[in-house]
Amino acid sequence: MKIRNWTFMLCCLLTMLSGYAQFINEKIGLNQEEYKNLQIGYSKTTSIIFPYAIKSIDKGSPDVLMQKAKGVENILLVKASKENFNQTNLTVVTADNRLYVFVLNYDESCPDLNIKADNTAVVSGNILFSMENDNQKKIEQYASLALSKKKKLEGLKRSRFEMKLNVTGIFIHQDILYLRLLLGNNSKINYEIDQLRFFIRDRKKSKRTASQEIEVIPLYSTSASSVIPDKSEVNIVYAVSKFTIPEKKYLTIQLIEKNGGRHIEIDVKNNDLINLDVLNSL
């Protein structure tokens, strides 16, 4: 009798374990299906376009080659380093706090050479960046807010060669300054921008010492346009890490024309940064 009872209990246990294993396999299969599958080849390059700048990349195998496209921050180029590699994965973190995971498969035909990363590849939207890595999405949002503000500065203006460069607003939120500029072209010739630079330099250059210039690199701008059309004005906000202007120095904003001589610049002194407009939380 005892042997029958033990046999019955063992059969029940095996049945339960079998059912649990099937449940686990189904769950694993479901999770694998949730990841976006991409086919890449050996002789072709696949471009993955993300909505925001790429902050971090990791590949699961050395059989995959990848790099960001030159001159842009949101396009990843991917191809196989050998034919018929084993299935692997690709993980990408973007500046809008999102984690993307792709399953990579070998397919020399590469049915899709241009892939737009969308929500189907997002597995998490709660990435916490380190303090030295600013959240790009928030910077863009506050730059747009600064662009829409009606309050304007007076006095920070410069006109030359029928061009004008005005600082119409200086705003701050946490550790980011937002400089709103108006670029005007009153001439009949389009103005093609070669550079728009920000740097801190000495007010007066001594003959005995070299003038020191510290360039301020923008984190973001609301416009990527490189042309100011004739008889038009363009409003742009540049986001930069906060700074102060030391005594006997000033911030120079310099606009340089490509293949031309209509260069114009304006100087911002420390007093101009005293009454900053604070951007309220979104």
Side-chain angles (χ1 to χ4, degrees), residues 2-196:
K2 290 183 177 180
I3 295 176
R4 289 182 180 178
N5 289 340
W6 277 106
T7 303
F8 177 75
M9 292 176 64
L10 182 60
C11 290
C12 290
L13 180 61
L14 291 173
T15 302
M16 291 174 62
L17 290 174
S18 176
Y20 181 73
Q22 183 178 358
F23 171 76
I24 292 296
N25 288 334
E26 289 175 356
K27 291 296 290 182
I28 291 174
L30 177 62
N31 288 337
Q32 287 177 344
E33 290 175 1
E34 288 178 353
Y35 298 133
K36 189 175 182 67
N37 280 264
L38 296 184
Q39 285 70 44
I40 63 173
Y42 177 76
S43 60
K44 299 176 183 177
T45 299
T46 299
S47 302
I48 308 176
I49 305 169
F50 295 88
Y52 287 88
I54 299 166
K55 290 292 186 180
S56 174
I57 315 167
D58 184 70
K59 59 182 179 178
S61 169
D63 297 336
V64 175
L65 301 175
M66 61 184 186
Q67 68 176 24
K68 286 196 287 187
K70 287 185 178 180
V72 294
E73 292 294 324
N74 69 319
I75 299 178
L76 185 65
L77 306 179
V78 184
K79 68 185 301 185
S81 64
K82 77 171 190 178
E83 298 177 342
N84 300 309
F85 64 79
N86 292 327
Q87 186 184 74
T88 185
N89 70 301
L90 172 66
T91 303
V92 179
V93 176
T94 55
D96 60 336
N97 286 9
R98 292 194 172 192
L99 172 68
Y100 294 80
V101 175
F102 302 90
V103 175
L104 302 181
N105 305 279
Y106 184 82
D107 185 347
E108 189 57 31
S109 65
C110 287
D112 296 312
L113 291 177
N114 293 293
I115 307 294
K116 186 175 181 180
D118 53 25
N119 289 334
T120 61
V122 176
V123 297
S124 176
N126 297 305
I127 306 301
L128 179 63
F129 290 118
S130 57
M131 288 300 292
E132 62 270 12
N133 228 339
D134 297 298
N135 186 321
Q136 188 76 13
K137 186 175 182 179
K138 287 186 178 179
I139 292 176
E140 292 181 17
Q141 290 173 335
Y142 279 103
S144 297
L145 180 60
L147 189 65
S148 65
K149 287 285 186 178
K150 293 182 179 181
K151 185 177 179 180
K152 293 185 179 181
L153 285 177
E154 298 294 337
L156 289 175
K157 302 177 180 180
R158 185 71 194 277
S159 298
R160 194 181 184 195
F161 308 121
E162 295 186 289
M163 297 294 302
K164 62 181 177 181
L165 171 58
N166 299 352
V167 180
T168 62
I170 304 177
F171 309 89
I172 190 169
H173 177 75
Q174 295 181 349
D175 292 333
I176 306 297
L177 283 173
Y178 298 88
L179 304 171
R180 188 177 63 198
L181 308 182
L182 183 148
L183 310 179
N185 180 4
N186 295 323
S187 73
K188 298 179 181 179
I189 303 173
N190 289 349
Y191 187 98
E192 192 171 356
I193 300 173
D194 182 36
Q195 298 180 61
L196 199 155

Side-chain angles (χ1 to χ4, degrees), residues 198-215:
F198 301 83
F199 52 91
I200 297 173
R201 66 182 183 185
D202 299 329
R203 292 190 186 183
K204 293 183 179 180
K205 181 179 177 181
S206 172
K207 293 182 180 179
R208 296 184 179 181
T209 60
S211 178
Q212 184 180 13
E213 294 184 354
I214 303 173
E215 186 158 10

Side-chain angles (χ1 to χ4, degrees), residues 257-270:
E257 183 181 20
K258 185 176 182 179
N259 300 323
R262 294 181 292 175
H263 310 323
I264 186 171
E265 61 183 46
I266 191 170
D267 297 326
V268 179
K269 301 178 178 62
N270 197 43

